[in-house]
Amino acid sequence: MTISTADLVLGAMYFGTRSDEKDSFALLDRFVERGGRTIDTANCYAFWASDTGAGGQSEAVIGRWLAANPGLRDELTIATKVGQEPVTPGVFDVVEGLSAPVIAREVERSRERLGVETIDIYWAHGEDRATPLEETVEAFGRTVQSGAVHRLGISNHPTWRVERARALAAAQGLEPFSLLQLTTSYLRPRPDVAVPGKDHRFGFATDETMDYVASNGLELWAYSPLIQGSYDRSDRPFPDAYRHPGSDARLATLHEVADALDATAGQTVLAWLLHSDPPVRPIVGVSSLEQLDQALAAAELPITTEQLDALDAAG
């Protein structure tokens, strides 16, 4: 399996908020110069970091960058999401959900901010059990039928709901969800232990997820693959949920492989994800060119089958 920087996804969560427009443009420029081709954002990014209490800043910055680089659009995959924007700015506990009117309205707002005719991948960002799944599936299908969207993805949903949504789409002759976005990494948290900042009940990829993806030909993207930098930053220790004997064994093997590759632990984790079976596309969220260059270099590590097997077997 050939891996390249094109397999990594640039996470644009804080573009336009914590990263100003100049820095965001620089990160986008470097990503593309190094072979990156896929950019992931959401209509709600980043409402919690915005003075307005509402999102949209990330999409708007990407739109202005695309407008400043008119020859790039056809080379790129632009992905965005719907479902988690606050209904009232600054009131974060009530979000828009996945009703048909919301999807129809927000896909147009995202296209306008991004300045694109078609969104390459449109994600259902989180569950909305107050809306019938049939309604959500039909509404997403209409975005594809209208030409507003090319492919559909689903994030932070349990596997059984993903399968039900795909069956509903098939029964109606609609485009199905063909991509999953969840969080996963080399270390695994203890079961049923909360991880700070990971608020989606079904946000973690499991062995069942991997089997489902492999058996149905879906594509899996991983957010927060480096656990907020904990593999390499002493000032960001792993959350308590990751502290158990299995983690000790996996970290020992991880550092052995990283040393042999002359790489950081985080780079080795990204390489392991990219080479996994089924492969996982890590979403890398960075705030500096140095961090971006390190992440992109992970796709070029000469990791061997023996090293991958050792990583898999640890813990």
Side-chain angles (χ1 to χ4, degrees):
M1 179 172 56
T2 302
I3 299 297
S4 72
T5 53
D7 294 299
L8 290 164
V9 179
L10 180 62
M13 178 181 289
Y14 288 116
F15 288 7
T17 49
R18 293 180 184 174
S19 293
D20 63 21
E21 186 155 317
K22 179 181 177 182
D23 289 343
S24 299
F25 275 33
L27 290 167
L28 288 160
D29 288 343
R30 179 68 62 85
F31 182 68
V32 171
E33 288 167 3
R34 293 283 307 276
R37 288 296 180 268
T38 304
I39 302 163
D40 184 69
T41 185
N43 69 331
C44 68
Y45 290 164
F47 65 79
W48 59 94
S50 167
D51 293 338
T52 68
Q57 299 81 12
S58 175
E59 288 182 333
V61 165
I62 293 169
R64 289 191 290 272
W65 176 77
L66 288 171
N69 296 274
L72 281 178
R73 173 64 188 104
D74 291 342
E75 300 178 25
L76 302 175
T77 296
I78 306 296
T80 193
K81 311 179 191 75
V82 61
Q84 295 295 298
E85 172 73 353
V87 171
T88 302
V91 181
F92 298 163
D93 58 346
V94 180
V95 297
E96 62 194 349
L98 296 173
S99 69
V102 166
I103 293 167
R105 180 190 72 223
E106 291 303 317
V107 73
E108 295 306 320
R109 289 179 175 176
S110 289
R111 288 170 71 201
E112 181 178 358
R113 283 190 291 259
L114 290 165
V116 300
E117 182 176 343
T118 303
I119 295 168
D120 296 303
I121 301 168
Y122 201 40
W123 299 92
H125 201 168
E127 279 199 280
D128 175 13
R129 297 202 184 183
T131 299
L133 193 56
E134 294 83 353
E135 177 182 337
T136 296
V137 168
E138 184 178 355
F140 271 100
R142 283 199 297 267
T143 68
V144 176
Q145 290 175 334
S146 70
V149 171
H150 181 51
R151 297 177 66 194
L152 300 174
I154 189 164
S155 178
N156 301 315
H157 283 65
T159 305
W160 73 268
R161 294 266 292 177
V162 176
E163 177 61 17
R164 181 170 292 180
R166 283 168 53 80
L168 288 168
Q172 298 178 59
L174 298 171
E175 181 74 18
F177 293 113
S178 58
L179 303 96
L180 268 63
Q181 186 174 148
L182 299 163
T183 187
T184 192
S185 186
Y186 183 60
L187 293 193
R188 304 160 181 160
R190 298 193 308 279
D192 301 320
V193 176
V195 178
K198 298 295 180 288
D199 302 323
H200 294 286
R201 181 182 177 189
F202 299 104
F204 280 85
T206 65
D207 287 344
E208 181 191 21
T209 307
M210 304 304 284
D211 181 63
Y212 180 74
V213 167
S215 300
N216 291 277
L218 275 69
E219 190 172 311
L220 178 61
W221 294 14
Y223 64 85
S224 302
L226 300 182
I227 314 178
Q228 286 69 53
S230 296
Y231 289 102
D232 297 311
R233 293 183 55 168
S234 59
D235 62 323
R236 292 191 178 181
F238 289 103
D240 288 341
Y242 290 92
R243 297 177 182 173
H244 54 84
S247 289
D248 296 340
R250 285 176 84 80
L251 281 173
T253 301
L254 177 65
H255 286 291
E256 288 177 9
V257 173
D259 288 346
L261 293 170
D262 193 24
T264 67
Q267 287 175 318
T268 307
V269 169
L270 295 177
W272 174 77
L273 288 167
L274 288 167
H275 288 272
S276 64
D277 184 17
V280 179
R281 297 189 67 183
I283 303 170
V284 293
V286 297
S287 58
S288 70
L289 293 176
E290 179 183 7
Q291 290 175 348
L292 179 58
D293 286 338
Q294 283 194 350
L296 292 170
E300 300 166 346
L301 288 179
I303 195 165
T304 67
T305 300
E306 292 74 19
Q307 290 169 328
L308 291 168
D309 288 345
L311 290 166
D312 288 338

